[in-house]
Amino acid sequence: MSKTVLVLVETVDDYLPLLERAGYRLIRAPSPQMRADAIARHGDEIDAVLTRGPLGLSAAEIATLTKLRIICVIGAGYEQVDLVAAAARGIIVTNGAGANAGPVADHAMALLLALLRDIPRADASTRRGEWNRVISPSVSGKRLGIIGLGAVGQAIARRASQGFDMNVSYHSRTPRAEVPYTWYDSPLHLADAVDILVVATPGGNGTRHLVDAAVLEALGAEGYLVNIARASVVDTDALVGALRGGVIAGAALDVFDDEPAVPDALKAQGNTVLTPHVAGQSPEAARDTVALVLRNLQAFFAGEPVLTPVRA
């Protein structure tokens, strides 16, 4: 008997046939209204849900989905999935840890290069017929700090250290003995020791505003911030104040608090580079993400351990 998967995501459509060819029946509901309608109409049919961190799945929705047995989250973050409600029902939650680490790390480095070398403004002025040869900081040899050293953080570290001869340090809850990078016990101490701070940790209450005014102050007037993780990790008001006041030199952001809305205060700053939450999006990443979802589903419904479980 085929299983029914409620698909709430909107970014992997080209690869969803991987699930259909494996025998899964898909109910696509990528908008809020379609989601509400699908849950109301098919609540007693849905065996699995495919979502992503910001879209999540609430306790009320979990209660309505009476047959639900597994929630698969694409990407590493799962901050809006009610893990407590899922655990209370014995529902398994998986994530996409590592599936899109390469593209996210590539984008982080692209943002870093664009920010330090002032690429967007140089391109815009050249297109206007100007010839402004502004001197910009070098990237090679800089001190890079990474908050969060999971699959994405490690991919960024490799690119920075091996490709740009950067000295890499990191902060995580505990040091990782297997990596050759320097561990700091807090974001504050890490920021004080580096030139560039990259946010690569999952969102959620445990990481909310890890980067606050004090951390930005420690990063300093010649320091740069790059965030390809979750906007909630950075205090946006503190960041705007730091950018306006010259507390830090600049920031590159792929994530925002109220997407797709981007604060005018960030758009108005000349020392920002902004992209619309696209770091993890590439054809390769979408394919690998759906393939991992399929492997988790197949393992679960075969009574085997899932590959990437999330614990409450």
Side-chain angles (χ1 to χ4, degrees):
M1 183 176 180
S2 66
K3 303 297 183 182
T4 299
V5 181
L6 175 63
V7 180
L8 304 180
V9 298
E10 74 289 1
T11 56
V12 295
D13 284 0
D14 289 347
Y15 297 94
L16 290 177
L18 288 173
L19 300 181
E20 292 174 315
R21 286 196 293 270
Y24 293 94
R25 171 197 175 209
L26 304 186
I27 299 175
R28 292 175 171 86
S31 72
Q33 187 57 56
M34 293 173 69
R35 173 175 176 159
D37 290 347
I39 291 173
R41 294 176 57 194
H42 303 285
D44 59 351
E45 305 169 32
I46 293 164
D47 302 285
V49 170
L50 176 55
T51 186
R52 59 186 178 88
L55 293 175
L57 197 69
S58 70
E61 290 171 324
I62 289 171
T64 301
L65 300 173
T66 55
K67 283 187 63 181
L68 181 63
R69 297 175 62 195
I70 181 170
I71 301 166
C72 295
V73 184
I74 66 170
Y78 44 85
E79 63 273 20
Q80 293 302 320
V81 176
D82 196 313
L83 298 182
V84 174
R89 282 262 310 274
I91 296 167
I92 294 293
V93 180
T94 69
N95 70 350
N100 65 353
V104 175
D106 291 348
H107 197 79
M109 295 306 297
L111 286 175
L112 189 159
L113 289 162
L115 179 63
L116 269 70
R117 299 298 296 169
D118 205 13
I119 301 299
R121 286 201 295 175
D123 175 81
S125 70
T126 303
R127 291 174 187 274
R128 291 193 299 265
E130 302 166 359
W131 197 248
N132 296 329
R133 301 181 67 194
V134 177
I135 297 175
S136 302
S138 297
V139 173
S140 296
K142 287 287 190 292
R143 300 170 300 169
L144 180 74
I146 305 172
I147 298 179
L149 205 69
V152 170
Q154 291 186 58
I156 294 169
R158 287 193 298 271
R159 285 157 174 75
S161 61
Q162 298 172 16
F164 292 91
D165 196 28
M166 300 176 81
N167 182 285
V168 176
S169 304
Y170 70 102
H171 165 71
S172 58
R173 284 175 291 184
T174 56
R176 305 187 65 146
E178 74 276 15
V179 300
Y181 316 120
T182 303
W183 178 75
Y184 283 87
D185 63 356
S186 71
L188 182 67
H189 292 153
L190 177 64
D192 191 47
V194 300
D195 305 303
I196 304 159
L197 188 64
V198 178
V199 180
T201 190
N205 292 332
T207 60
R208 179 173 174 77
H209 290 183
L210 277 183
V211 178
D212 56 14
V215 170
L216 296 170
E217 183 78 32
L219 186 56
E222 296 183 358
Y224 297 86
L225 177 75
V226 177
N227 189 1
I228 45 74
R230 289 290 185 262
S232 60
V233 184
V234 178
D235 183 335
T236 300
D237 291 339
L239 176 59
V240 169
L243 291 166
R244 283 175 172 168
V247 174
I248 65 172
L253 309 172
D254 185 54
V255 287
F256 306 92
D257 289 312
D258 187 24
E259 297 177 359
V262 178
D264 290 338
L266 288 173
K267 292 188 284 187
Q269 301 303 311
N271 54 350
T272 59
V273 176
L274 311 173
T275 58
H277 203 153
V278 293
Q281 294 191 27
S282 73
E284 299 86 354
R287 179 199 62 213
D288 292 348
T289 293
V290 176
L292 179 57
V293 168
L294 177 58
R295 291 165 67 197
N296 273 317
L297 288 173
Q298 297 288 67
F300 176 77
F301 287 116
E304 301 169 0
V306 295
L307 283 75
T308 54
V310 172
R311 310 297 183 191

